[in-house]
Amino acid sequence: MQFMLLFSRQGKLRLQKWYAPLSDTQKKKISREVIQMVLARKPKMCSFLEWRDLKIVYKRYASLYFCCAVEDQENELITLEVIHRYVELLDKYFGSVCELDIIFNFEKAYYILDEFILGGEAQETSKKNVLKAIEQADMLQEVRNTHTLCI
Amino acid sequence: MPAVSKGDGMRGLAVFISDIRNCKSKEAEIKRINKELANIRSKFKGDKALDGYSKKKYVCKLLFIFLLGHDIDFGHMEAVNLLSSNKYTEKQIGYLFISVLVNSNSELIRLINNAIKNDLSSRNPTFMCLALHCIANVGSREMAEAFAGEIPRILVAGDTMDSVKQSAALCLLRLYKTSPDLVLMGEWTSRVVHLLNDQHMGVVTAAISLITCLSQKNPDEFKTCVSLAVSRLSRIVSSASTDLQDYTYYFVPAPWLSCKLLRLLQCYPPPEDGAVKGRLVECLETILNKAQEPPKSKKVQHSNAKNAILFEAISLIIHYDSEPNLLVRACNQLGQFLQHRETNLRYLALESMCTLASSEFSHEAVKTHIETVINALKTERDVSVRQRAADLLYAMCDRSNAKQIVAEMLSYLETADYSIREEMVLKVAILAEKYAVDYSWYVDTILNLIRIAGDYVSEEVWYRVIQIVINRDDVQGYAAKTVFEALQAPACHENMVKVGGYILGEFGNLIAGDPRSSPLVQFNLLHSKFHLCSVPTRALLLSAYIKFINLFPETKSTIQEVLRSDSQIRNSDVELQQRAVEYLKLSSIASTDVLATVLEEMPPFPERESSILAKLKKKKGPGAVSVNELEEGKREGGELNGGGERGGDSSAIAASNASTPSPSADLLGLRAGPPVTAAAPSAGSLLVDVFSEAGINDDGFLRDLEPTTESSDSLLAEGPGDSDSAPPSVVSEDPTPLPESDELLNKFVCKNNGVLFENQLLQIGIKSEYRQNLGRIYLFYGNKTSVQFVTFTTTVTCPGELQSQLNVQSKPVEPLIEGGAQVQQVINIECLTDFSDAPLLNIKFRYGGALQNLTLKLPVTINKFFQPTEMASHDFFQRWKQLSQPQQEAQKIFKASHAMDTEVLKAKLLGLGMALLENVDPNPENFVCAGVIQSKAQQVGSLLRLEPNAQAQSGEQMYRLTVRSSKDTVSKRLCELLAEQF
């Protein structure tokens, strides 16, 4: 995978993850282009688009678009399920996730993504294992927090 | 999980975020952000040391501002400080900031790398993972330098936790992708392969991405992964939907891992080990079977995951291109998807079928879906799906359905989306030329094309129709009549006027007998369009007029009057004025004879690649597009009407083009036509060449190169002993061919076209044709890189006695191949007498300064010169008996290395070039063939009998092959060649 973008129906970028080295200007240009292209699609159209030498795979969940750019030989359907699994992870973690959760806790959204996808490839596809890793990290912090309070 | 764990109470951050959200305008937002930046800056600069929590909060705010799209130029140091915090969340924010906002400040990099090093050696798995994630996210060269040695150790160490292994594998993959030179293969590589056997599915999932990437680059070193991958796949495919617990996704066992396993296998040719192969075929069959089972869930996730595996399996089947059964089953499955209610599936089915269409085994099966695909082209609501349908029609087109497909594409063009029109036009033009049986159809099609989509018809297309009309005298009258009729339309496209002007100027005399198209009528018709046309078209028309004066003296005064008018002879455009003046003068002073010589009919064009095809290739975008993508990519962008291409054609019609600056050159061009006129005398045979070979073969090569990426297992092998110091291009002795060149040769015994060789740099496609004792081979050298190859030279040699057996002539090839480009080479072969060895093809070129040198065997085998001979049973056995001397017979008994499929066997035997005789052998299981090998010295009659034994005693499938021919060496050689084929 080359990059993943989450954006709202209004075209506001909510999360961006880049797996290929690009300059900030390139990233901005690409986001603008891709967002515009995806937003112009009508419902019921297919979820795959050819774009430059990549394939864009996208799906809309409520007000948010999830969009991945993958290499030409990559499997489109499994990419669609990468998106879905990520949504499931967010949902489970936040408890019926909504756009606001991702806005206010953007750092968590990045942590969860890193546990699931690393360097553009699936690292751990088990929902249980990903959430366990995140949970452990949260525990670590809570223990320390209480610890600090005691002092 | 309870919602309490959300965030960790950075209240200031939450307040800031809602402030931003409440901003009514962009300006207000910027104002608020600047205020915050000033605040943070003062905090960071303040005298009071900040505690970890505040530092974390401010760094997080900066990150948020950056992600909103604003520039951040400070805070890096504070983030780096957080890395060495012993509080997990502080460390985590620090790493996140660094991952998103990398900075090339060397002092910082040193500090970051230090912190990472500490965390990697901390033995705390959570910290180690954080550090590895950071490396994987940044992936910079500096990090590769610092950690490329350490990470492989972590990955294969026995005591590493599973989660750390997973991160390490993908971290290493990222470093390998960005800096392959820094990741050194070592003893860890063999242990990495064995991670495919790991008990932890997550570890396998992560490791396989790394293994796949490494295998693509070092196939030999990772060869053992094939059997491991097959057994892992087999276990998953045969497991029940609940066996894999959390790795089951909507009742589909381990879909991600399955897809990746199937992808890994696509890096290799089919497994050689029969048992492994059998197991794999079984897996593929099971996957195909499962597609027919009722779904276990109505959820789209279930069907997506299941079909993801199915499509990946089909890709593997197509990659192997050797299992006709599976190919046809795959095609049927995709056929079902073509009418599925899910748009996604229809799209993918169309895409996948495109590659199936070019396999010889499934081409026919794909063709049966033509009506559905045409329907898709007409009714799909999504342009990207329609585009796929158009691609598939193009791919499935052959002589049998060309008329239907071209008609459908033409009618689609009338309403086609602007974005794909030009490409459609090119495709229609190519198909029309390639499959034209009668050229009146071709002319009709192209003129229709201009009528329907004139704006999108590039110069190459109308140049080509003119080339073809000039070269075929049987269509010239028809072309003149048709274009004359087309010009009757009150509004016709300028491209039509160009074609009309050119064709009537050359061949108007052929229809001048009809009073409805008398010379004057023709002239008036053309001239009625003159004022609406652009300068280049007017220039062309002026040339047509002077040709008219030559063809029809009765039009002379009318035309001279036109040329003499102020709007011509005093035209403000220099080119037009010059033409008017010169043509007027020419028509007044030259005698009829001189005029007739100057304006003689255009000689036929020399054989050349279709410029349209070159254009379609070029259209696919600049740079490093691999040859495989050429056919598929519909890239936007890229200047479509680029002028660079037209060189070849414009010289031919220079006279009618405004581009020639010198008037004398202009007239000379008009008289002499294309400079290469030497080929003209035998016009008839040349014409056949132009159409039966040049045009078709070009397209064929595109097609051949597209689907099969067969040999990914060979890296560029330097010939032994060859180095930079070796004298270039002097081949005094025969070079040693690549070790696999025999295998490559065997692949082409029963077929003439395909990919001969491929490595990371170079792909060589081949297309060959044989007639009698003559053969012609087209080689297509494709540069797969984005860097040009220089001093590209190829040498064909006949080692040893082959010199006296074959006469091989190769035309020189262009010494420079641009990145992503291809060059073609033609090799002519004459078989003097029978032979056993193959000619050697040596290729040398420089890529990025390094000399590349490789030698292959050219797949010229004795059977290529077979002429099939049909005969009845009686005759066959009579001749069989006549060839009964022991040395005339060669026999081999051998194990089947492929499944015994009657249809495949038949296809291969036909490919061999002999006639496959039905109802001759009393045993219907057996195959008999007859043919005559044509060489200059003699003809060698050969008979063949192949007896399959599906249940030999050993339980193996066996064949007995017997060849009898009038010459012992031929029998022996045929037997050797064929024993490798079944």
Side-chain angles (χ1 to χ4, degrees), chain A residues 50 73 81 88 123 126, chain B residues 167 246-247 249-250 263 388:
Chain A
E50 291 200 328
Q73 70 280 18
E81 293 320 296
E88 283 184 347
Q123 169 174 223
S126 150
Chain B
S167 300
D246 212 33
Y247 289 91
Y249 180 82
Y250 292 86
R263 164 66 56 71
R388 287 270 159 266

Side-chain angles (χ1 to χ4, degrees), chain A residues 1 12-14 16-21 24 27-28 33 41 44-53 55 59 61 71-82 84-85 88 92-95 100-101 103-108 110-111 114-119 121-129 131-138 140-142 144-145 148, chain B residues 1-3 5-8 10 13-14 17-18 21 29 60 63-64 66-67 69-71 86-89 92-93 96 100 126-127 132-133 136-137 163 166-167 170-171 173-174 177-178 200 202 205-206 209 246-247 249-250 255-256 259-260 263 300-301 304-305 307-309 311-312 343-345 347-348 351 381-385 388 629 632-636:
Chain A
M1 192 190 298
K12 282 233 184 227
L13 198 53
R14 296 302 182 203
Q16 44 177 318
K17 188 80 190 178
W18 304 88
Y19 298 110
D24 287 343
K27 288 178 187 172
K28 278 185 188 163
E33 208 173 302
R41 307 273 299 168
K44 294 254 175 178
M45 280 190 166
C46 83
S47 315
F48 319 123
L49 281 175
E50 291 200 328
W51 177 76
R52 301 194 185 173
D53 52 350
K55 293 193 282 208
K59 187 163 179 177
Y61 288 85
E71 294 80 1
D72 184 54
Q73 70 280 18
E74 198 63 49
N75 189 311
E76 291 97 336
L77 286 175
I78 207 74
T79 309
L80 213 45
E81 293 320 296
V82 163
H84 187 75
R85 170 98 318 166
E88 283 184 347
K92 191 90 181 179
Y93 182 78
F94 289 109
L100 282 180
D101 290 317
I103 296 173
F104 281 94
N105 304 283
F106 68 96
E107 79 282 11
K108 293 285 178 201
Y110 280 98
Y111 298 153
D114 271 353
E115 291 292 338
F116 174 35
I117 303 284
L118 189 60
E121 299 283 341
Q123 169 174 223
E124 177 54 85
T125 60
S126 150
K127 191 155 67 172
K128 219 160 60 189
N129 290 354
L131 290 171
K132 204 165 69 191
I134 296 287
E135 205 175 342
Q136 267 168 1
D138 281 341
L140 263 175
Q141 131 207 346
E142 269 164 37
R144 310 250 173 182
N145 281 353
T148 335
Chain B
M1 183 166 300
S5 61
K6 274 194 281 180
D8 45 348
M10 284 186 281
L13 177 67
I17 294 176
S18 36
R21 288 178 51 73
E29 184 185 306
C60 207
L63 186 56
F64 181 79
F66 177 78
L67 290 170
H70 302 270
D71 291 334
N86 54 5
K87 292 213 177 81
Y88 182 73
T89 49
Q92 208 179 13
I93 294 281
L96 182 58
V100 176
T126 342
F127 286 10
L132 288 168
H133 290 182
N137 280 326
S163 61
Q166 287 168 275
S167 300
L170 293 174
C171 188
L173 171 61
R174 177 70 198 264
K177 279 184 184 166
T178 46
H200 191 285
T205 308
S209 297
D246 212 33
Y247 289 91
Y249 180 82
Y250 292 86
W256 280 277
C259 285
K260 286 185 177 197
R263 164 66 56 71
V300 68
Q301 284 77 23
N304 278 352
N307 292 328
I309 300 174
F311 275 104
E312 207 61 64
T343 315
N344 288 344
L345 283 180
Y347 175 94
L348 294 175
E351 182 181 60
R381 277 185 292 175
D382 185 347
V383 54
S384 35
V385 186
R388 287 270 159 266
E629 288 166 36
E632 294 167 354
K634 296 106 244 351
R635 211 156 303 266
E636 39 36 291

Side-chain angles (χ1 to χ4, degrees), chain B residues 76-89:
Chain B
H76 298 84
M77 189 48 93
E78 285 73 13
V80 173
N81 287 341
L82 287 177
L83 295 184
S84 37
S85 163
N86 54 5
K87 292 213 177 81
Y88 182 73
T89 49

Side-chain angles (χ1 to χ4, degrees), chain B residues 114-130:
Chain B
N114 241 346
I116 291 178
K117 204 165 281 169
N118 286 337
D119 281 333
L120 283 183
S121 51
S122 70
R123 306 201 140 258
N124 174 336
T126 342
F127 286 10
M128 286 174 87
C129 282
L130 265 189

Side-chain angles (χ1 to χ4, degrees), chain B residues 172-193:
Chain B
L172 189 56
L173 171 61
R174 177 70 198 264
L175 293 185
Y176 185 73
K177 279 184 184 166
T178 46
S179 320
D181 53 316
L182 294 177
V183 179
L184 304 174
M185 302 295 125
E187 59 88 47
W188 60 274
T189 38
S190 59
R191 300 175 66 184
V192 162
V193 176

Side-chain angles (χ1 to χ4, degrees), chain B residues 220-468:
Chain B
D220 284 340
E221 216 156 320
F222 288 84
K223 233 174 9 207
T224 46
C225 70
V226 172
S227 60
L228 291 176
V230 169
S231 60
R232 189 94 212 191
L233 180 68
S234 154
R235 268 178 282 158
I236 296 173
V237 167
S238 56
S239 62
S241 54
T242 49
D243 286 355
L244 303 175
Q245 295 160 349
D246 212 33
Y247 289 91
T248 296
Y249 180 82
Y250 292 86
F251 303 101
V252 181
W256 280 277
L257 183 53
S258 306
C259 285
K260 286 185 177 197
L261 286 163
L262 289 161
R263 164 66 56 71
L264 171 60
L265 291 170
Q266 287 170 58
C267 303
Y268 289 91
E272 281 154 20
D273 181 332
V276 177
K277 173 105 183 272
R279 205 160 173 203
L280 177 56
V281 168
E282 217 168 88
C283 286
L284 295 172
E285 277 168 349
T286 313
I287 294 170
L288 284 167
N289 290 341
K290 279 188 180 172
Q292 296 299 328
E293 287 169 11
K296 294 197 175 68
S297 154
K298 284 207 167 63
K299 289 245 166 63
V300 68
Q301 284 77 23
H302 170 72
S303 72
N304 278 352
K306 192 165 131 183
N307 292 328
I309 300 174
L310 177 65
F311 275 104
E312 207 61 64
I314 292 176
S315 297
L316 182 63
I317 293 169
I318 295 172
H319 167 75
Y320 285 165
D321 199 15
S322 61
E323 300 285 333
N325 253 337
L326 293 176
L327 280 163
V328 170
R329 280 192 67 186
C331 185
N332 293 340
Q333 182 60 52
L334 294 176
Q336 287 181 18
F337 285 155
L338 286 182
Q339 286 167 303
H340 202 278
R341 61 189 163 78
E342 281 265 333
T343 315
N344 288 344
L345 283 180
R346 295 197 303 274
Y347 175 94
L348 294 175
L350 289 165
E351 182 181 60
S352 194
M353 256 196 191
C354 252
T355 44
L356 270 180
S358 35
S359 164
E360 51 178 317
F361 300 115
S362 44
H363 183 77
E364 289 302 317
V366 170
K367 273 167 62 188
T368 58
H369 299 287
I370 184 167
E371 297 301 334
T372 319
V373 182
I374 287 173
N375 198 38
L377 186 65
K378 287 178 176 161
T379 58
E380 281 289 349
R381 277 185 292 175
D382 185 347
V383 54
S384 35
V385 186
R386 289 197 297 274
Q387 165 98 60
R388 287 270 159 266
D391 289 346
L392 179 53
L393 283 180
Y394 180 74
M396 67 161 72
C397 191
D398 62 17
R399 212 167 280 284
S400 72
N401 55 22
K403 284 204 174 175
Q404 185 187 10
I405 286 180
V406 165
E408 292 295 347
M409 285 175 117
L410 268 177
S411 84
Y412 173 60
L413 253 179
E414 306 210 31
T415 54
D417 311 74
Y418 294 109
S419 54
I420 63 174
R421 277 196 188 181
E422 169 154 7
E423 196 182 318
M424 291 287 293
V425 166
L426 290 175
K427 286 185 164 167
V428 170
I430 289 169
L431 293 178
E433 178 182 337
K434 185 170 167 188
Y435 297 115
V437 184
D438 66 284
Y439 280 86
S440 52
W441 173 70
Y442 169 76
V443 169
D444 283 342
T445 304
I446 301 296
L447 293 185
N448 264 331
L449 208 51
I450 296 174
R451 199 173 45 75
I452 294 167
D455 282 345
Y456 298 87
V457 172
S458 54
E459 293 186 326
E460 286 81 356
V461 174
W462 74 263
Y463 285 172
R464 189 70 183 164
V465 69
I466 285 173
Q467 281 180 16
I468 286 178

